[in-house]
Amino acid sequence: MSDAHKPLVFSGMQPTNTLHLGNYLGALRNWVKLQDQMPCIYCVVDMHAITADAGYAKPKELLTASREVTAAYIAAGVDPARSILFKQSDVGAHAELAWVFNCVARLGWMDRMTQFKEKSGKHKERSSVGLYTYPTLMAADILVYKATHVPVGEDQKQHLELARDIAQKFNNDYEAPDFFPQPEPLILGTATRVMSLRDGAKKMSKSDESDFSRINLTDDAEAISAKIKKARTDPNPLPEDIKGLEGRPEADNLFNIYAALAEVPKAELIARYAGQQFSGFKNDLAEIAVAKLTPIAAEMRRLLADPAEIDAILAAGAERAGAIAEPILQDVKKRVGFSA
Ligand code: TYM
């Protein structure tokens, strides 16, 4: 990253269904901590949400989900007085820059995006064009603020690499060295890729049909405990050391979740439970998950009781975000030749 750019964090989540433990441990919790280190901008990416069927042509659900995600950010500890918290569709500069980036990015780059392949599945021709160009909008989200650091889970790494390639090509093609920074992914902690509780080979995801595959941030104590106790495991006792987790993805996932929630090193946990059965381990994990997550759900409920207040926070955030993005967009327009 060039010294020419001041440290600035940007990240976002899609308002499709409720957030889950993967979103929390892979991203949101790190967002909260980063507020003590540098200025942060956190976005509810509702324009991304309409790229997939889950968000498309569901106006009421989308708006409700956007408010819910905003409440989750705040309940988890994002402070709207310190950080800028807003909704993507409220700041038009994202879409304008995304168009320019659609012309900077090459088809060959886009064709390599694994998330598109996963999300479009066997029916590529029926996917929206937006789903395909999704990563250029994501690059615009970050670069329209010249953000330097992007805290995300592991699954977003490839999109971040694309954003770096776009930044570099723009800088080269428009002879503006250092105009855009090379945004750095921040993939932090022991739970950067939380797996499904039903299948250790699958990522925990909002779109999984089984609700038992994930812990939602809105789950109550009973649901959290039930899901952890029913989580798939294997018949062996718990391992003696870290090597003993090899080839045991479900056990590995539960250790990663436990270590992240308890904020203790994984090796220490492995030593604590060495040779024991899953049942006692799961009881302890359920207890800590309930202790960490249910206060967030309670605070979300309290915030959601006043949607007008959430809308006011988002409106104020959009104004602050727009004030940063607008001059950068104007500068882009000059460099591209849209204005003198
Ligand atoms: P989204 O909405 O799918 O996920 C939001 C964040 O949660 C992380 N995450 C996970 N982390 C660990 N384990 C999991 N199972 C898991 N599932 C999700 C994601 O990595 C992400 O950090 N494209 C983004 C949204 C976006 C964005 C941006 C992010 C749009 N513009 C600009 C950063 C910067 C997405 O779909 O995330």
Side-chain angles (χ1 to χ4, degrees), residues 10-14 20 22-23 26-27 45 48 134 138 141-142 150 152-153 155-156 191-194 203-204 206:
F10 182 94
S11 201
M13 297 204 187
Q14 293 193 61
H20 55 68
N23 300 128
V45 293
H48 277 116
Y134 175 119
M138 178 164 161
D141 295 338
I142 299 163
V150 186
V152 283
D155 61 343
Q156 295 301 314
T192 55
R193 186 173 175 81
V194 177
K203 197 178 67 171
M204 184 177 284
K206 292 171 195 159

Side-chain angles (χ1 to χ4, degrees), residues 99-174:
W99 180 256
V100 174
F101 284 175
N102 277 340
C103 303
V104 173
R106 305 289 99 181
L107 273 181
W109 302 359
M110 305 303 287
D111 281 341
R112 284 197 286 275
M113 294 295 114
T114 54
Q115 190 164 298
F116 175 74
K117 288 179 197 157
E118 280 159 25
K119 289 197 174 170
S120 59
K122 290 188 199 109
H123 305 291
K124 187 172 165 220
E125 348 30 68
R126 275 191 248 153
S127 298
S128 73
V129 176
L131 187 67
Y132 186 71
T133 61
Y134 175 119
T136 57
L137 177 59
M138 178 164 161
D141 295 338
I142 299 163
L143 293 168
V144 82
Y145 302 97
K146 297 192 175 179
T148 55
H149 293 82
V150 186
V152 283
E154 217 173 272
D155 61 343
Q156 295 301 314
K157 204 169 158 201
Q158 195 186 34
H159 289 159
L160 257 295
E161 279 158 14
L162 182 88
R164 292 164 68 94
D165 288 344
I166 289 175
Q168 181 145 31
K169 185 163 164 57
F170 180 95
N171 291 355
N172 288 343
D173 293 354
Y174 289 101

Side-chain angles (χ1 to χ4, degrees), residues 3 29 81 102 107 160 182 208 219 240 252 254 310 329:
D3 293 340
R29 203 177 54 162
N102 277 340
L107 273 181
L160 257 295
Q182 287 276 289
D208 197 310
D219 282 346
E240 304 283 342
D252 191 39
L254 293 179
I310 292 185
L329 181 69

Side-chain angles (χ1 to χ4, degrees), residues 1 20 43 61 84 127 153 218 227 241 257 265 281 288 290 305 338:
M1 191 189 67
H20 55 68
C43 184
E61 286 93 329
I84 298 179
S127 298
T218 46
K227 287 176 180 182
D241 54 29
I257 292 173
F281 169 87
I288 185 148
V290 166
F338 291 166

